Each structure stands twice: as C-alpha cells, then as structure tokens.
C-alpha cells in the first residue's frame, strides 16, 4: 500500500529575514531602508548647497527633510506651542518647525580656541545664541535656517570642524577622554587612534548606510570617562601581561527603550590594529545588522543573539583575516566621578580646570567668554566631556587661582555642588520632536532647590533628566533617572512629570536602575521627592555605601 502524499501547505512561507545583507536580504524592508537605498544620505549635501539654501524650506524633498539631512547633523526642531500629549499623535509635518537643530561633531571632545569662537560666532549669527554641550561631547545649535547652512559649513570647515555624520544611520562622533595626552595616569593616549578612525571611515559611502546609528568610544582614561559600557563599540585602555599598552574591545552597548550593557570580546588590540578592528566591527554591523524592524536595528541586538564567541569568530575570520590574542579586562575606574571637574595636575607640570555649565546649557556669548577666559590664562584648548561639562587645559600653576575665580564669577562652577556637578538633561520639549516634557529648565530649577535644601550633601549622586523614553540623558544608568511622561496631579489634572528609575550605575557594579511600581512624580514634586529619598539614604547608608548600592537593598517605602 502506498503512503498517501502529504497535503501541500500553500500557506507555508520562507522564514522572514531580518534584513541582513550578508544573508542575502538586500531588498528594503521599511521606509527608512528604502530611502537609503534610493539615495545615500551623504549626497544630500550638494542639494542643500545648490537647491534648498537658495529656494528655501518649502523646496526640501520630504525624504531629505526627515531623513538624509541627518547625515549632516540637521534635524527639524519642534514647532513651538505643541504640548507633550500630542507628540505621538501628530504627523511629522505637523511637528516640524521651519528651523533646524544643527549638531557639530567634536571627536574626542577636542577644541582649540579658534574652533570654539567659530561655534560661538555661528551661534550668535544664525542660532539665536543657542549652544548646548551634549553628553556625547558635541555642541548643538538651534533656530538654524536652511539658507544659512552653506555658510555655516564653510566657517566650520575652515577651522577643521564639520557636521558630517553627526546624526543619521552612520558612525557618529567618536568619544575620547578630554585629558588624552596630558593625564599622567592614563594607560595610553587615544587621540591618534580617534583620528585614524575618523579619517578612514567618516564620510566614506562604504559605511554611510548602517542599520541605525553607531556609537564609538576610544580611551585610555583611568577614570573610564567615556562610558564604554553603553557604546556600540569601545576600545578601553589596558596593559597586557607583557607590559604592552593596548585596548580591550567591547561591543553591543546601548540604552533607549531596550537597554543593554556592552560585552567584552576578551581580545587584546594593539594600537596599530585599532583602525582595522573598528572597520571589522562596523562592517559586521553593516552586513549582519537587523534592518527589518527599526527598533531592533542596533548592534546590541545582534551581539545579544550571537554571543561574544560567535561575534569574535566572525570578526576574526571574515573581516580581519587573523586572530586576536586574549587580553586582560580593564582596571576598575579611578574615583567615584567620571567627569573631570575640578583642578588637577597635568603630566607636564601645568594644570587642567574642569567646570560645570548648568545642565550643558550655554550660549554663543558664554562660549566666547570661556574662550576669552582661557586665553587670558595662557590656554588654547577647551575640551568637552561626556557629562555635559568642559575642561580648560594647559594652565600654568601661577594662573590657576585667577582662572578659577573668573570662571566661578561667571557661574561656570569649578567647585560645584553634587547637584550642579552631576545633573544632566536632554534637549526636551523646547526643541525636540520626540519629547513629552520640558527638561533643561526643570533640571536647572531642581539643582537650585536641592542646593538650598541639602547644602551639606557631598556624596556622588547622578540625576539624569530625559524628556521621553529614548534615554538620550542615560536615565537607566543614573542614581536617579527621570523619564518624562504626562502624569495626573492631586487635582486630577494631566501635567508634566516623570517615571523614576533608581540605582543605575556604570563602573564597578554596572547595572540598570530599579523601577518601583507606580513611582512617578510631577515636575513640581521633584524637589520634594529627591530631598526625601536622599535624606533616607543619608540616614540608612552603611560606611562607604553608594546610593546605587543602598537602593538595591532599600525597602520600597523608603524609595517613595
């Protein structure tokens, strides 16, 4: 007897691909991928120069306006007057203003005074005096009109700066220690390796169509100031068993709505190998990264699915053509803060002076003032940090006191309170189309109130304020992370507020903040809430215990 044929399942489909080019899935699977296939984002520059700057905002192709212009650091900013409740409801064209945010990329955070003054001039001429230092060492300007962009580019490029790939699905700014080359305790100076990566890959069409953004850090800083744990790729300075300085390689870090910490590949990368290894990692992301769903298009998802062993094998066999030796893990970070605020000696006998602008908010005039103060005290270098701070380098010993006095007199704090020093805020609803609540003014007011209420509190405590769930201000790894949302107050009104994350940290015990059920506060309630939880910490902490460590063991009642 013959076996009857199995019925044909006419609904059976080939397993859906994730849009990985290396596996043959080259057809665009969403609108973003289609736009990138139609035209590389780098090509928009000439259209801005030849067409859009001459014929104005209404001449801009929508695919360029909300897509490719990001390849040159340009985002439309939020139209004034649109409240946070409409952020997720309105169409993009309803949220768009006719002005742009412009991001100036500052690789390694390195600026000389000519560059700083150029940014200040652009701010005052074209950006209504706006200037924010970001937590990725960039400076962002607002109120930029498309007609002004070619002149802005000429001014920036004349002093060695650019906006190329400051945004978009590209290799964005390369983080580096602002003290690279001058810190006597650094493992090695990452400056030449940042420059090599920049020159080899930034603006190269071979790497300008990635599944999503790609964040990089390269540093030998003993304080681990470049937060390598939350970058797509990070080179962390180490010394191997033969006493050679090189890098430990980390991949797959990132926050946003699905946070993951980067993982060590366990390899030792020599300084000469950095550029090639970087090319291998970004090549894996380009070729194997998930492109079908945009919320899964970051490298962290691929690393999480593959694991470090497979990632290392693919890197070595398909991209490098040689094996990397095993290497040591980094030493634990030096000190309790990673921001370089204060006065410290350089290895050449001079000093650097780190100071804290208020939540990164400055202005064109303030940038000019900082440049003038630095110049009056013999410095030609002002660097940015990943904590929205700045550092003046190369100050002679006999000029330090007068420099500090002048900075302090202009509200640029060299000896700030914990709250001024360690509160960060994203752009917020003032300019950002994704935001739900205001952040910069809220955070600034919170600092003032906490300084008044808790003048003697000196323990490290990070307070990170974010206007939406996307974590530009790194809420999940803050001691107190505030995620903007609309909440209901005691009168039953819907107002601006925050979901509260507690006890996040990087470094020795890296981990994400604890979410306590129902723990929210209106913006007006924040000072009361933070004061209450800080006082509970002060009363209950053990000797040497950090806020993050206390949160992990505290009763929920003491966290509310």
């Amino acid at each position: 007897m013959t076996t009857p044929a199995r019925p044909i399942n006419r609904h059976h489909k080939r397993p859906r691909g994730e849009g990985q080019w290396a596996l043959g899935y080259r057809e665009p699977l969403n609108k973003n991928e289609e736009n990138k296939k139609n035209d590389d984002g780098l090509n928009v520059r000439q259209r801005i120069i030849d067409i859009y700057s001459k014929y104005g905002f209404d001449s801009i192709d929508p695919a360029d306006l909300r897509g490719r212009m990001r390849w040159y650091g340009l985002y439309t900013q939020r139209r004034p007057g649109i409240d946070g409740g409409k952020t997720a409801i309105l169409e993009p064209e309803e949220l768009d203003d006719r002005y742009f945010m412009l991001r100036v990329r500052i690789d390694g955070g390195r600026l000389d005074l000519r560059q700083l003054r150029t940014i200040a001039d652009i701010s005052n001429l074209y950006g209504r005096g706006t200037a924010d230092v970001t937590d990725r060492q960039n400076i962002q300007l607002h109120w930029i009109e498309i007609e002004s962009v070619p002149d802005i580019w000429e001014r920036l490029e004349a002093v060695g700066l650019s906006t190329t790939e400051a945004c978009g699905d590209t290799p964005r700014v390369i983080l580096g220690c602002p003290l690279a080359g001058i810190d006597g305790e650094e493992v090695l100076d990452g400056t030449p390796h940042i420059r090599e990566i920049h020159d080899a890959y930034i603006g190269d069409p071979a790497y300008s169509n990635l599944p999503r953004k790609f964040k990089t850090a390269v540093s030998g800083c003993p304080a681990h100031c470049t937060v390598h744990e939350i970058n797509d790729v990070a080179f962390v300075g180490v010394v191997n068993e033969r006493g050679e300085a090189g890098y430990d390689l980390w991949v797959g870090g990132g926050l946003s709505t699905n946070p993951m910490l980067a993982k060590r590949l366990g390899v030792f990368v020599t300084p000469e190998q950095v550029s090639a290894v970087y090319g291998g990692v970004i090549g894996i992301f380009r070729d194997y990264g998930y492109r079908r769903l945009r919320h899964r298009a970051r490298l962290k998802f691929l690393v999480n699915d593959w694991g470090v062993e497979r990632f290392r094998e693919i890197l070595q066999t398909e991209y490098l053509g040689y094996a990397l030796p095993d290497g040591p893990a980094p030493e634990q970070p030096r000190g309790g803060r990673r921001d370089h605020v204060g006065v410290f000696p350089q290895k050449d006998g001079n000093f650097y002076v780190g100071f804290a602008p208020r939540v990164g908010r400055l202005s064109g005039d303030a940038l000019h003032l900082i440049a003038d103060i630095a110049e009056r005290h013999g410095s030609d270098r002002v660097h940015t940090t990943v904590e929205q701070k700045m550092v003046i380098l190369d100050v002679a010993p006999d000029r330090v006191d007068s420099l500090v006095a002048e900075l302090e007199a202009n509200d640029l704090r060299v000896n700030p309170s914990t709250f001024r020093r360690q509160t960060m805020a994203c752009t917020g609803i003032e300019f950002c189309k994704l935001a739900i609540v205001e952040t910069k003014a809220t955070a600034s007011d919170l600092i003032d109130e906490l300084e008044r209420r808790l003048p003697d509190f000196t323990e490290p405590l990070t307070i990170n304020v974010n206007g939406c769930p996307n974590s530009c201000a790194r809420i999940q790894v803050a001691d107190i992370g505030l995620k903007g949302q609309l909440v209901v107050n005691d009168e039953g009104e819907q107002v601006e507020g925050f979901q509260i994350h507690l006890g996040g940290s990087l470094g020795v015990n890296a981990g994400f903040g604890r979410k306590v059920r129902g723990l929210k506060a209106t913006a007006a309630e924040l000072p009361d809430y933070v004061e209450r939880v800080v006082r509970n910490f002060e009363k209950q902490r053990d000797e040497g215990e950090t806020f993050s460590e206390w949160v992990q063991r505290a009763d929920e009642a003491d966290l509310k």
Side-chain angles (χ1 to χ4, degrees), residues 94-286:
E94 297 176 282
L95 285 166
D96 285 333
D97 201 357
R98 299 172 69 87
Y99 298 94
F100 293 87
M101 177 274 283
L102 178 69
R103 182 177 296 159
V104 181
R105 67 178 295 153
I106 304 172
D107 293 278
R110 304 175 76 85
L111 288 170
D112 61 34
L113 296 193
R114 188 176 175 219
Q115 292 171 327
L116 184 59
R117 287 182 169 125
T118 295
I119 297 173
D121 287 340
I122 293 169
S123 168
N124 285 338
L125 282 169
Y126 297 122
R128 300 188 186 180
T130 56
D132 288 341
V133 180
T134 76
D135 61 3
R136 293 199 65 81
Q137 298 184 287
N138 299 306
I139 293 179
Q140 293 183 174
L141 311 176
H142 295 279
W143 300 108
I144 301 297
E145 295 178 298
I146 193 63
E147 291 86 349
S148 308
V149 172
D151 185 58
I152 291 172
W153 284 342
E154 285 187 20
R155 290 169 180 265
L156 290 173
E157 289 160 12
V159 295
L161 294 172
S162 84
T163 68
T164 303
E165 296 182 335
C167 310
D169 297 349
T170 66
R172 299 192 183 182
V173 68
I174 306 160
L175 301 186
C177 177
L179 311 182
I182 69 165
D183 187 340
E185 297 181 21
E186 69 182 356
V187 177
L188 75 171
D189 179 1
T191 307
H193 314 126
I194 292 174
R195 189 177 301 118
E196 287 172 9
I197 291 171
H198 178 279
D199 293 349
Y201 300 98
I202 304 308
D204 183 349
Y207 300 94
S208 61
N209 179 358
L210 303 177
R212 278 198 75 184
K213 57 189 171 186
F214 187 76
K215 297 183 176 182
T216 305
V218 180
S219 178
C221 173
H224 296 180
C225 71
T226 56
V227 292
H228 59 273
E229 303 97 327
I230 52 174
N231 281 274
D232 292 283
V233 63
F235 295 83
V236 186
V238 293
V239 177
N240 68 12
E241 60 187 11
R242 294 185 296 277
E244 299 166 332
Y247 293 100
D248 189 38
L249 182 63
W250 295 56
V251 296
L255 296 178
S256 192
T257 55
N258 198 329
M260 299 183 194
L261 294 175
K263 298 176 173 62
R264 292 186 60 232
L265 285 195
V267 299
F268 181 79
V269 181
T270 68
E272 296 76 21
Q273 294 171 324
V274 168
S275 182
V277 171
Y278 176 88
V281 175
I282 197 173
I284 289 174
F285 182 45
R286 176 194 62 196

Side-chain angles (χ1 to χ4, degrees), residues 187-429:
V187 177
L188 75 171
D189 179 1
T191 307
H193 314 126
I194 292 174
R195 189 177 301 118
E196 287 172 9
I197 291 171
H198 178 279
D199 293 349
Y201 300 98
I202 304 308
D204 183 349
Y207 300 94
S208 61
N209 179 358
L210 303 177
R212 278 198 75 184
K213 57 189 171 186
F214 187 76
K215 297 183 176 182
T216 305
V218 180
S219 178
C221 173
H224 296 180
C225 71
T226 56
V227 292
H228 59 273
E229 303 97 327
I230 52 174
N231 281 274
D232 292 283
V233 63
F235 295 83
V236 186
V238 293
V239 177
N240 68 12
E241 60 187 11
R242 294 185 296 277
E244 299 166 332
Y247 293 100
D248 189 38
L249 182 63
W250 295 56
V251 296
L255 296 178
S256 192
T257 55
N258 198 329
M260 299 183 194
L261 294 175
K263 298 176 173 62
R264 292 186 60 232
L265 285 195
V267 299
F268 181 79
V269 181
T270 68
E272 296 76 21
Q273 294 171 324
V274 168
S275 182
V277 171
Y278 176 88
V281 175
I282 197 173
I284 289 174
F285 182 45
R286 176 194 62 196
D287 301 338
Y288 286 98
Y290 303 147
R291 294 174 182 261
R292 181 172 68 87
L293 299 174
R294 193 151 178 85
H295 69 270
R296 273 180 50 83
R298 292 291 299 276
L299 181 64
K300 62 187 177 183
F301 293 100
L302 182 68
V303 173
N304 189 59
D305 289 349
W306 275 10
V308 295
E309 290 185 5
R310 184 179 179 194
F311 195 98
R312 178 175 175 176
E313 179 186 3
I314 296 294
L315 173 64
Q316 293 175 151
T317 58
E318 295 189 21
Y319 290 84
L320 295 177
Y322 54 84
L324 294 167
D326 293 343
E331 299 286 339
Q332 295 295 347
R334 176 193 66 193
R337 294 178 171 99
R338 300 163 79 166
D339 56 14
H340 300 309
V341 171
V343 179
F344 298 94
Q346 301 177 181
K347 63 184 180 184
D348 63 1
N350 290 320
F351 287 79
Y352 71 84
V353 179
F355 59 93
R358 189 177 286 267
V359 292
R361 170 122 309 167
L362 289 164
S363 66
D365 288 346
L367 295 180
H368 268 303
L369 174 65
I370 291 166
D372 292 345
I373 292 172
E375 185 173 48
R376 278 196 290 273
H377 293 85
S379 171
D380 186 48
R381 296 193 288 174
V382 180
H383 292 179
T384 57
T385 83
V386 303
E387 304 291 335
Q388 300 180 336
K389 309 299 186 289
M390 301 182 83
V391 182
I392 296 175
L393 279 61
D394 310 322
V395 182
D398 62 346
R399 308 300 296 274
V400 170
D401 289 345
S402 60
L403 170 65
V404 170
E406 194 167 355
L407 288 170
E408 291 277 347
N410 287 282
D411 196 34
L412 299 167
R413 301 293 183 196
V414 179
N415 300 295
S417 69
T418 283
F419 306 113
R420 174 67 172 267
R421 180 171 181 170
Q422 293 195 276
T423 299
M424 293 200 309
C426 73
T427 300
I429 202 169

